[in-house]
Amino acid sequence: MLLRGLTWLVLFQLLGTAINHLLLPMLPGPIIGLLLLLAWLISRGEVAQPLSEASSSLLRYLPLLLVPPAVGVMVYAKDIAADFWAIVGALVLSCLLTLVLVGVLMQKLIHRQAARKEQP
Amino acid sequence: MNPDWQGALDAVVHHPLFGIGITLGAYQLAVAAYDKTRWIFLQPVLVSMLLVIGVLLLCGIHYPEYRKSTEILNILLGPATVALAVPLYLNLRRIRQLFWPTFTTLVIGGVFATVACVALGYWFGAEHMILMTMAPKSVTSPIAMLVAEQIGGVAALAAVFVLITGVLGAIFGPALLDRFGVTSPEARGMSLGVTAHAVGTSVALQESDECGAFAALAMSLMGVATAVFLPLAVSVIA
């Protein structure tokens, strides 16, 4: 069952790679695969058992899969050191500003929608 | 006759399985440390990364050799990215009622997060490569890494920036939202998911199920939106 789901995931990614090559060079193949799978799930209206099994097992180990590429930072230590304060400043400020903006905006919009429903 | 210690050590250290071995070991150690302490700074990816770098430096292995021996893990990253469609689809079904507030917030917040970070970085004098790597920092790591590479950044750095952003959001998020009077669980979840992706989602899940569901949804929508529109936007501007 797990293998069947994995096969579907691989198929969707290969399909995405083909489309990336033929039509959409600016979108990475796996992202196109993700969109195709999403469209397929919406049209089917349910997630088949093998697919949900394969995706949840893969996603459970997602952090492990990310370790080798993250280790690549060791090659860029010099670039980070050169721009250290610019990086830290930009990351911290934009993170905190976005956090507040999104929270306040969403809450306002929810209240407005609720108010509109009460007085039709 | 003396046993050839040096030769044996070299044979082990340069064996093709050595890279996989230390990655698996470091990851399990990191997960165990996180489970035990529940300390938000001890993100498993961050800790395993530091452990692996330490071992590589100690053994004098260069990154390309390590990269080559962990190729098999790397190949699985593609299908894992495709698999993100499943949780996204399951979450989409839950939000029909609040579709428009969610959608509007996502567009405004997502654009703001990306533009603010790049503009601040530019203003503080970071170089182009760093800016392109910081742009997708609010997105879950596999997507951010793919996107960063696509627009002229560096995947490895993107993974680290993503982690830093996630940890920051998770640490300061709840207190900051309290201070600004954001009480509805949907809005809190949305905010944590858009800014702090998976790390924020785990914090949101601790607040309530509803908060967690919106965080997971916001995280996956933000990921897909960034993956689709950021490369387009960069290719239009450049």
Side-chain angles (χ1 to χ4, degrees), chain A residues 1-119:
Chain A
M1 283 302 253
L2 180 79
L3 280 184
R4 205 192 305 165
L6 200 60
T7 313
W8 277 112
L9 292 176
V10 170
L11 266 178
F12 271 102
Q13 190 195 331
L14 292 178
L15 204 60
T17 307
I19 293 180
N20 162 266
H21 215 78
L22 293 171
L23 304 166
L24 289 166
M26 59 285 185
L27 280 189
I31 302 291
I32 302 177
L34 190 165
L35 293 174
L36 290 174
L37 178 58
L38 182 67
W40 193 66
L41 289 175
I42 290 175
S43 75
R44 289 277 314 261
E46 56 160 6
V47 182
Q49 178 65 26
L51 192 59
S52 98
E53 208 178 305
S55 70
S56 65
S57 340
L58 256 185
L59 291 178
R60 188 153 25 121
Y61 291 111
L62 187 55
L64 172 67
L65 301 181
L66 293 171
V67 174
V71 170
V73 205
M74 62 193 281
V75 181
Y76 298 97
K78 226 181 261 167
D79 295 284
I80 299 184
D83 284 340
F84 185 76
W85 290 111
I87 295 173
V88 172
L91 286 183
V92 172
L93 280 178
S94 68
C95 172
L96 299 184
L97 287 173
T98 312
L99 207 67
V100 172
L101 173 84
V102 171
V104 170
L105 182 65
M106 179 80 175
Q107 178 146 302
K108 281 232 166 81
L109 289 172
I110 293 175
H111 285 323
R112 211 168 68 180
Q113 193 187 43
R116 206 177 289 159
K117 250 179 213 159
E118 273 165 26
Q119 32 161 286

Side-chain angles (χ1 to χ4, degrees), chain B residues 28-67:
Chain B
Q28 284 172 75
L29 267 178
V31 168
Y34 181 73
D35 281 344
K36 207 157 221 174
T37 56
R38 289 273 144 206
W39 209 36
I40 206 125
F41 286 103
L42 290 183
Q43 284 306 310
V45 179
L46 207 59
V47 175
S48 345
M49 177 194 94
L50 294 175
L51 286 174
V52 170
I53 290 182
V55 174
L56 293 184
L57 289 177
L58 214 68
C59 301
I61 302 174
H62 294 294
Y63 181 65
E65 187 184 344
Y66 169 75
R67 185 73 203 237

